[in-house]
Amino acid sequence: MSTIMKNKKIGIIGSAFNPPHLGHKDVIEQVYRDYDEILLVPSYKHPFGKIMAPFNDRLFMASMMAQSYHSERFMHYEHITPILTSNIERDIYLKNSAKKNNKDKAKNRDRPVYTYDVLAELEQRYKTSGIDADLTFVIGPDNASYETWNKFYKSEEILQRWNIRSVSERVPVHSSLIRELIADYPRPDFLFESRFKNYLDGLVARYIFNQKLYGVHL
């Protein structure tokens, strides 16, 4: 007897989330109502070689940002679309690094996890779970430019196999600036969260301070 596959529209937001900020939150806002599920995918080893905070911290902060967004929608009695976070990039990287052949192992240890790898693995995982997933990879205006998109591994094949959706930068907040401001921020400690209220969700700001990430002064 053939298995009946369930159709599901999945919006995938991939980012370093280093840290996740209000710009990321606005990306969720722009696509939230158009999908059955939103999946946040933090980078494990960045394709462009960016140095990032520990993966588990960024994964947890992305989850807190999603939780905060859900709470805000609930308070306004709005429709709730599941927002999940995924460690799929870590799974792919560790699988590649575990190749038995020594030559392949050395080669794959330094190989970043590409968007193509993530989408292909997600498609297979959903299929295994009985879901015919209609995947859309959500990108910001910086990655939507022709020059940047062509740097993506198998960019043309991605366009052929899956959907791409570009969103606007309505909240001009960038992780690099936030990291600089955090590193330069002096005490008092109790003002840290309010200092970054225009950049970070409160839960995320508190976590950064408590974990002393990005050069938070001890």
Side-chain angles (χ1 to χ4, degrees):
M1 189 173 75
S2 61
T3 302
I4 299 176
M5 300 285 282
K6 179 181 178 181
N7 296 320
K8 207 170 191 181
K9 292 179 65 177
I10 314 291
I12 300 160
I13 302 174
S15 175
F17 293 112
N18 189 39
H21 52 65
L22 298 186
H24 293 123
K25 206 170 182 180
D26 184 64
V27 171
I28 296 174
E29 173 65 25
Q30 291 184 54
V31 304
Y32 181 74
R33 297 164 184 81
D34 300 330
Y35 300 97
D36 301 311
E37 180 178 297
I38 302 294
L39 194 63
L40 307 182
V41 181
S43 304
Y44 186 71
K45 185 175 178 63
H46 202 280
F48 301 148
K50 292 181 181 178
I51 298 175
M52 301 175 288
F55 178 76
N56 284 343
D57 288 319
R58 292 182 291 109
L59 184 71
F60 192 50
M61 287 189 289
S63 297
M64 286 190 289
M65 181 182 67
Q67 180 185 19
S68 173
Y69 186 86
H70 264 155
S71 297
E72 292 167 8
R73 298 283 71 75
F74 181 79
M75 291 293 291
H76 290 87
Y77 302 100
E78 294 186 10
H79 167 73
I80 300 297
T81 297
I83 306 175
L84 309 176
T85 52
S86 173
N87 63 1
I88 189 169
E89 286 214 10
R90 178 171 59 190
D91 291 349
I92 294 172
Y93 180 81
L94 294 177
K95 182 173 70 175
N96 289 340
S97 299
K99 299 288 185 181
K100 292 183 179 180
N101 183 287
N102 288 334
K103 184 178 179 180
D104 287 341
K105 190 172 183 178
K107 179 181 177 181
N108 283 297
R109 186 182 299 115
D110 295 325
R111 184 181 186 273
V113 178
Y114 296 109
T115 298
Y116 177 89
D117 302 330
V118 171
L119 293 174
E121 180 67 19
L122 281 174
E123 187 175 67
Q124 182 58 45
R125 289 189 181 188
Y126 279 114
K127 185 177 181 180
T128 302
S129 301
I131 297 172
D132 181 13
D134 182 12
L135 302 181
T136 297
F137 184 62
V138 179
I139 58 176
D142 50 346
N143 287 328
S145 70
Y146 179 81
E147 294 78 9
T148 303
W149 178 253
N150 275 352
K151 294 179 182 178
F152 276 62
Y153 176 67
K154 293 188 176 183
S155 58
E156 287 301 317
E157 193 167 340
I158 291 174
L159 293 174
Q160 293 169 9
R161 289 185 60 177
W162 301 289
N163 306 308
I164 302 296
R165 177 173 175 177
S166 176
V167 295
S168 303
E169 185 183 59
R170 304 188 307 189
V171 179
V173 176
H174 300 278
S175 296
S176 56
L177 173 61
I178 293 171
R179 294 194 299 271
E180 291 175 11
L181 292 174
I182 290 173
D184 292 339
Y185 179 76
R187 293 176 179 248
D189 304 351
F190 65 90
L191 292 177
F192 184 86
E193 187 176 329
S194 61
R195 169 65 179 85
F196 290 96
K197 66 180 180 181
N198 293 325
Y199 301 93
L200 301 168
D201 186 85
L203 288 173
V204 173
R206 204 171 307 131
Y207 183 86
I208 288 172
F209 185 83
N210 290 337
Q211 298 300 315
K212 308 303 179 190
L213 299 176
Y214 307 115
V216 167
H217 290 207
L218 299 176

